[in-house]
Amino acid sequence: MSYQAPLKDMLFVMNELANLQGVSQLPGCEDASPETAEAVLEESAKFVAGEIAPLNHAGDKEPSYWKDGNVFTSKGFKEAFKQFADAGWQGLQHPTDFGGQGLPKLVGTPCVEMLHGANLAFALVALLSDGAIEALLTAGSDEMKATYLEPLVTGKWTGTMNLTEPQAGSDLAAVRTRAVPQDDGTYKIFGTKIFITYGEHDMAENIIHLVLARTPNAPEGVKGISLFIVPKFMVNADGSLGARNDAHCVSIEHKLGIKASPTAVLQFGDNGGAIGTLVGEENRGLEYMFIMMNAARFGVGMQGIGLSENAYQQAVAFAKDRVQSRDLAGSAGPVSIIHHPDVRRLLMNMRSQTEAARALAYVGAALYDAAHHHADAATRAENQAVYEYLVPIIKGWSTELSQDVARDGVQVHGGMGFIEETGAAQHYRDAKILTIYEGTTAIQANDLVGRKTVRDGGKVAKGLIAQVRATEAELAKLDGADFAAIRKHLAQGAADLEAVVEYVAGNMKTDIKAVFAGSVTYLKLAGIVLGGWQMARAAVISQQKLDAGDSDASFYRAKIVTARFFADHFLTQSSGMRTAIIEGSAGVLALSEEQF
Ligand SMILES: Cc1cc2nc3c(=O)[nH]c(=O)nc-3n(C[C@H](O)[C@H](O)[C@H](O)COP(=O)(O)OP(=O)(O)OC[C@H]3O[C@@H](n4cnc5c(N)ncnc54)[C@H](O)[C@@H]3O)c2cc1C
């Protein structure tokens, strides 16, 4: 069974939870009416189901390969990327001035989710280009924008992100690649970058590497890192391609998952120096790269959600088809396994977590749109702060849960899940990278604690908790056991999150190691409470639709049931997490190194 975009749920979240109508009234977003958005999503769904999803399993079986410095991507990838680019999908969210379609992030995000859901390994090339575009839009000179943006936005060229070196992974202070200034204002780049996604491939005419390097006498650590554009082929003044630059792929990795996506070792400057151009000012590279990373981190969160959706769809199809054992309530013969309570529990785990993560991410996308387009500067700043708080959660939590979802998908398949031909095993393998690249979950949690919670004394977090409490008040107005349960567990979740935010903000100075011992659990708690909040909002809106006599009663009833499940099975974990964070650091830190 091939992936189909969950259009109905996507449109529900966009319209009802993320306020697409409101986004489409922002200056510059007027073209994104709900009708246009629906048409865009339908086209995108058709394209990914028809052209991209069918390449997923084949790419896993026959990965990209390296030969004599060139990388040959899996069968069909090159042609599919051309179709993707020609149809304008790369430029969906990028400015019309550079060949894009200028649609808001809220409309682009479901399309990105679909692409990742259909084929993670393929979609990565677009994700990295998005990040490069974002960095150049923010920090590039006018000349750089004129030279590089249109070919990137239209998918004629692709972009990469070159941070990692053998000794510099999570710790970019250790970057050693050198950039030596030349008389003509360019730099010569020397060094080795590893793990570079789509660092070399045959899907586009040129590859624009964004490279972190140090200039001579730069300060130690992250304050001495600069950002350079190093194209694979130099670009002539008229935009045509010039000489081959001294940046070469010396090998690609053999990996657990996302096998079709080439992960390159790039050697810069082995033949005299790769020519690079400084982006912005010297020593501000990490700051610029963070722009790219925030875009890419959000994108990786969408990878987790897309993959979860695909794993769920496959598991549902299998559970309806596979016949095994009698129904517990009695049946003439064996029944399909979807009748067994534990299989339903697995499917509801998968479904509810995917829906919660999707809802939170789309709400985040709408905040980004308001942060960029709202007419009022103070409102823009407020939205930006909330968006930035959510980015590590959208990245960290959505990808952590995608591994649970993919694992449950294998479990639903039983032995067939362990056998490669069903595709369930591929999801499980592919999911593992998502909590590692673009900053591991621990690095996301460090960001959440340090920059996003301690720096403002928990102000943004508490603002969100106040909004959760407003939803609790809405729930209180509704009758029935479902709403009572959702409200009870959401209220407890909000109280637990608030206590943890206070603990984190209050203890950073006195007991920093204890705070960081609980950082990943804090990230997951924030995801569960804020995701659970969106599920609760969805339930309230669904009840209003039912009360108004909406003809799609089955969809809205299922929304309420799914929100209740999430509350009973995930929100209820909040108190244990609170205890682990506030009281559990001693056990994390007590053993000496020798005792391990
Ligand atoms: C398939 C693939 C594609 C990639 N694509 C790219 C790319 O396109 N561009 C690029 O530049 N890089 C890329 N990377 C590199 C990736 O971003 C790094 O692997 C990642 O940031 C982790 O760095 P590391 O592997 O050195 O692990 P390490 O940094 O050595 O981390 C090992 C463990 O220590 C933990 N740890 C380290 N420091 C801390 C800390 N301060 N606090 C808490 N825990 C910590 C980590 O969470 C992790 O669990 C890719 C990697 C892979 C595998």
Side-chain angles (χ1 to χ4, degrees):
M1 196 213 116
S2 186
Y3 169 85
Q4 300 291 328
L7 279 178
K8 208 165 177 179
D9 196 53
M10 289 173 156
L11 289 166
F12 172 82
V13 176
M14 289 166 79
N15 286 310
E16 306 296 342
L17 301 180
N19 188 14
L20 176 60
Q21 185 70 40
V23 168
S24 70
Q25 283 160 9
L26 292 167
C29 298
E30 296 87 352
D31 289 345
S33 66
E35 297 70 37
T36 307
E38 187 168 347
V40 170
L41 262 63
E42 278 170 5
E43 270 313 300
S44 174
K46 249 188 260 161
F47 175 70
V48 301
E51 309 299 332
I52 309 297
L55 303 177
N56 193 31
H57 195 46
D60 186 57
K61 281 200 294 197
E62 286 182 36
S64 304
Y65 65 95
W66 181 95
K67 192 158 183 268
D68 302 330
N70 297 309
V71 170
F72 300 90
T73 48
S74 304
K75 199 160 167 250
F77 271 46
K78 187 173 172 181
E79 295 75 15
F81 188 67
K82 182 160 180 359
Q83 279 180 286
F84 173 80
D86 289 350
W89 294 114
Q90 181 74 59
L92 202 62
Q93 295 174 59
H94 300 302
T96 48
D97 293 354
F98 299 106
Q101 305 199 32
L103 285 170
K105 193 173 181 85
L106 180 55
V107 180
T109 293
C111 300
V112 166
E113 183 197 320
M114 292 175 202
L115 193 67
H116 291 305
N119 190 334
L120 219 58
F122 175 88
L124 270 167
V125 71
L127 185 151
L128 269 303
S129 286
D130 280 341
I133 292 163
E134 193 102 12
L136 289 173
L137 279 169
T138 316
S141 65
D142 287 347
E143 196 187 335
M144 285 171 177
K145 288 179 188 167
T147 307
Y148 297 108
L149 277 178
E150 188 163 339
L152 284 169
V153 168
T154 56
K156 196 171 156 201
W157 303 345
T158 66
T160 70
M161 185 161 152
N162 286 248
L163 289 70
T164 307
E165 298 177 11
Q167 76 297 340
S170 300
D171 183 10
L172 293 172
V175 161
R176 280 195 210 134
T177 296
R178 290 183 300 123
V180 182
Q182 306 295 302
D183 293 341
D184 63 358
T186 63
Y187 291 74
K188 287 242 165 128
I189 311 289
F190 301 91
T192 304
K193 294 285 179 182
I194 62 166
F195 295 159
I196 306 308
T197 299
Y198 280 95
E200 178 58 43
H201 62 83
D202 57 359
M203 288 156 59
E205 290 170 18
N206 203 2
I207 304 174
I208 309 305
H209 304 296
L210 288 182
V211 181
L212 289 185
R214 279 178 197 288
T215 52
N217 309 318
E220 289 289 302
V222 291
K223 293 208 167 99
I225 296 176
S226 305
L227 179 64
F228 297 88
I229 296 178
V230 184
K232 174 178 169 183
F233 289 101
M234 300 309 295
V235 182
N236 298 320
D238 65 356
S240 62
L241 297 188
R244 181 74 165 81
N245 206 354
D246 186 10
H248 295 277
C249 174
V250 292
S251 63
I252 63 171
E253 307 294 347
H254 300 280
K255 310 192 292 288
L256 177 67
I258 56 161
K259 292 187 181 206
S261 136
T263 306
V265 178
L266 292 183
Q267 199 63 33
F268 293 89
D270 274 2
N271 304 295
I275 299 170
T277 325
L278 178 71
V279 179
E281 295 169 29
E282 277 189 14
N283 301 330
R284 291 183 63 190
L286 202 66
E287 193 186 311
Y288 306 141
M289 201 53 119
F290 257 106
I291 300 160
M292 187 162 173
M293 284 199 283
N294 267 332
R297 284 175 175 180
F298 185 94
V300 175
M302 297 320 302
Q303 293 196 296
I305 297 164
L307 179 136
S308 296
E309 175 66 37
N310 195 340
Y312 169 69
Q313 289 183 11
Q314 276 195 311
V316 169
F318 187 86
K320 287 182 179 173
D321 188 52
R322 170 75 175 159
V323 173
Q324 202 72 185
S325 309
R326 283 168 197 261
D327 194 304
L328 282 172
S331 58
V335 291
S336 58
I337 58 171
I338 199 165
H339 289 87
H340 304 312
D342 192 62
V343 173
R344 288 175 156 263
R345 177 189 64 81
L346 291 167
L347 293 176
M348 288 305 290
N349 273 348
M350 299 173 80
R351 174 189 178 113
S352 68
Q353 290 189 95
T354 306
E355 286 189 17
R358 174 180 299 126
L360 188 62
Y362 289 17
V363 166
L367 289 163
Y368 174 98
D369 289 325
H372 283 73
H373 295 283
H374 202 282
D376 175 51
T379 310
R380 284 202 300 277
E382 268 167 38
N383 281 284
Q384 181 67 20
V386 183
Y387 172 72
E388 286 184 7
Y389 179 82
L390 292 182
V391 167
I393 300 168
I394 290 167
K395 197 288 187 181
W397 176 60
S398 308
T399 60
E400 287 283 339
L401 71 78
S402 75
Q403 301 183 2
D404 297 347
V405 169
R407 183 204 56 218
D408 285 351
V410 172
Q411 194 69 13
V412 168
H413 284 76
M416 284 310 286
F418 203 69
I419 307 300
E420 290 288 356
E421 74 200 43
T422 61
Q426 185 189 347
H427 295 315
Y428 193 36
R429 288 185 289 99
D430 282 354
K432 189 57 229 157
I433 189 58
L434 303 178
T435 61
I436 296 172
Y437 61 22
E438 289 306 332
T440 62
T441 308
I443 297 303
Q444 306 305 316
N446 289 354
D447 183 39
L448 183 68
V449 166
R451 280 192 209 86
K452 313 289 169 70
T453 305
V454 173
R455 197 178 274 179
D456 74 352
K459 186 167 163 254
V460 167
K462 286 184 187 169
L464 279 165
I465 292 166
Q467 290 186 55
V468 176
R469 298 222 158 99
T471 300
E472 271 171 59
E474 291 294 308
L475 289 161
K477 293 181 203 151
L478 296 170
D479 295 330
D482 288 337
F483 293 103
I486 296 170
R487 181 177 166 221
K488 178 172 144 199
H489 301 317
L490 186 64
Q492 187 59 48
D496 292 329
L497 181 59
E498 188 169 40
V500 166
V501 167
E502 275 168 13
Y503 166 78
V504 166
N507 287 272
M508 183 75 153
K509 283 212 176 95
T510 49
D511 208 351
I512 187 168
K513 281 209 157 191
V515 168
F516 279 96
S519 61
V520 167
T521 312
Y522 164 38
L523 179 146
K524 290 182 179 173
L525 170 66
I528 286 175
V529 174
L530 298 175
W533 168 42
Q534 296 309 324
M535 296 298 272
R537 290 183 62 216
V540 171
I541 292 162
S542 294
Q543 187 59 50
Q544 288 162 354
K545 299 271 185 197
L546 290 169
D547 291 346
D550 194 293
S551 60
D552 208 353
S554 166
F555 176 81
Y556 294 114
R557 282 206 197 95
K559 275 272 159 210
I560 297 170
V561 168
T562 309
R564 166 82 192 264
F565 179 92
F566 190 87
D568 287 343
H569 292 256
F570 293 100
L571 276 173
T572 48
Q573 296 173 10
S574 67
S575 296
M577 294 171 116
R578 169 185 179 164
T579 306
I581 296 164
I582 298 180
E583 297 172 29
S585 65
V588 176
L589 301 169
L591 295 186
S592 68
E593 205 168 323
E594 294 70 42
Q595 286 174 297
F596 278 97

